[in-house]
Amino acid sequence: MEIEKYLSAMEKRCSRRKYEDVPINFKYVKQLENSIALYNRKSGLNMKLVIGNGGELFNGFRKSYGLFVGVQNYIAMIGSDDLPDRMEKAGRFGEKIILEATAMGLSTCWVGTSYDKKAAMTLCKGNDTLDCVIAIGYSDKKHSLKERMMEYGMNKQHKTKQALIEAEEPVPEWFLRGMDAVYLAPTARNLRPFVFKYKDGQVTASITMPTETAMIDLGIAKLHFELGAGGGSWEYGNEGHYYFDDKRKESDKQHNTNGA
């Protein structure tokens, strides 16, 4: 999928917690399975798409605390205990799948705790770890009252975009575009536990609040920055560096010359 399509999906994506009893189009199931297989090869993860059995994780108040309704499908974010950067990779590649699903007209939601983890653990083998799941399916265009109430509560916790940036010098336009995309990134409880630093033409991303899912959140945010900035790549890990492509280097060089 081209960067422009990811950016369009980023603008449309929102977390949904109420799903309709409609099977996912078979064509889209195959596309999701193909993406998951590709990203598992690239990352070393063992993500799995489960179709039609979401009820075992979400049905009943004791399983999802009444926060989810009608979930029939999900993606299990699984990886080996000893896989380097497992949680950051889960964030990066899980969000990539979410944006692709959004472009298909599907609804999604990252789910860290509000599900029956014991039931999902049956998908794990050997030294696998299940970090979270992603609910996926179709939702009514109109948000339910419960969804609207949760969105209102989350919005009250918003950090400003400026609070996510640390820079002692003027920043180039591509960095600002990257941060616009970061601001659209979903995070657990909307805490946005990270900061993006720009110094001497270099960008790094760091955790500011060591939450249980901070590295998943960082993986999502790094992907959003990369897409918003127009490409490039990231070094894994807390305080990992962002690497420009050649065009970005020339653009940044020109920016520094003009600002001198």
Side-chain angles (χ1 to χ4, degrees):
M1 199 160 84
E2 297 172 359
I3 287 180
E4 290 76 15
K5 291 182 180 177
Y6 280 113
L7 292 174
S8 176
M10 211 181 281
E11 293 279 354
K12 294 175 184 173
R13 185 217 64 82
C14 62
S15 299
R16 299 302 305 270
R17 295 171 177 82
K18 185 177 181 181
Y19 292 82
E20 296 181 306
D21 187 15
V22 177
I24 296 177
N25 184 301
F26 178 74
K27 177 179 72 173
Y28 295 151
V29 171
K30 293 305 295 179
Q31 289 178 16
L32 290 167
E33 288 176 339
N34 289 340
S35 287
I36 287 170
L38 173 63
Y39 298 149
N40 278 341
R41 290 195 297 272
K42 285 188 172 184
S43 65
L45 291 168
N46 190 24
M47 299 179 286
K48 294 178 181 177
L49 175 64
V50 177
I51 297 293
N53 288 322
E56 64 184 9
L57 266 64
F58 294 95
N59 286 352
F61 185 86
R62 293 183 66 182
K63 292 186 176 182
S64 70
Y65 309 105
L67 298 177
F68 289 87
V69 177
V71 179
Q72 294 300 317
N73 321 291
Y74 64 92
I75 300 167
M77 304 306 294
I78 298 170
S80 171
D81 281 344
D82 54 10
L83 177 67
D85 306 301
R86 185 190 75 244
M87 293 184 78
E88 184 179 344
K89 288 175 178 177
R92 176 181 178 82
F93 290 100
E95 181 67 4
K96 206 164 187 182
I97 293 166
I98 280 178
L99 294 176
E100 291 171 10
T102 301
M104 298 173 194
L106 294 166
S107 296
T108 59
C109 187
W110 282 98
V111 190
T113 56
S114 306
Y115 67 99
D116 186 342
K117 193 164 186 175
K118 187 175 179 181
M121 285 292 291
T122 58
L123 296 170
C124 295
K125 298 177 181 178
N127 62 342
D128 277 351
T129 291
L130 173 72
D131 288 308
C132 59
V133 302
I134 297 169
I136 186 168
Y138 295 102
S139 294
D140 194 310
K141 289 184 179 180
K142 185 177 179 181
H143 290 217
S144 68
L145 175 61
K146 187 173 290 184
E147 285 178 312
R148 295 199 302 273
M149 289 174 65
M150 291 191 69
E151 288 159 13
Y152 174 76
M154 290 294 188
N155 288 339
K156 289 179 70 175
Q157 300 177 44
H158 269 182
K159 286 183 181 177
T160 65
K161 197 179 302 176
Q162 198 56 42
L164 305 178
I165 298 173
E166 190 174 302
E168 299 174 1
E169 58 195 280
V171 297
E173 193 62 36
W174 58 261
F175 179 87
L176 293 176
R177 289 196 301 269
M179 292 310 299
D180 286 342
V182 168
Y183 203 62
L184 296 173
T187 61
R189 302 190 301 283
N190 216 20
L191 291 175
R192 293 181 174 142
F194 42 69
V195 65
F196 284 69
K197 302 176 184 179
Y198 182 89
K199 185 176 181 180
D200 299 329
Q202 298 296 312
V203 180
T204 56
S206 307
I207 293 297
T208 55
M209 190 186 308
T211 67
E212 192 175 330
T213 58
M215 290 309 297
I216 292 177
D217 294 338
L218 187 64
I220 296 170
K222 282 181 174 180
L223 173 69
H224 273 234
F225 181 93
E226 180 183 316
L227 293 170
S233 60
W234 279 97
E235 175 183 58
Y236 282 115
N238 188 25
E239 300 186 355
H241 282 77
Y242 170 72
Y243 295 98
F244 317 84
D245 56 27
D246 290 338
K247 288 181 181 178
R248 188 85 30 66
K249 284 181 182 176
E250 287 303 315
S251 170
D252 203 44
K253 200 179 294 179
Q254 186 67 36
H255 165 83
N256 290 336
T257 301
N258 293 339

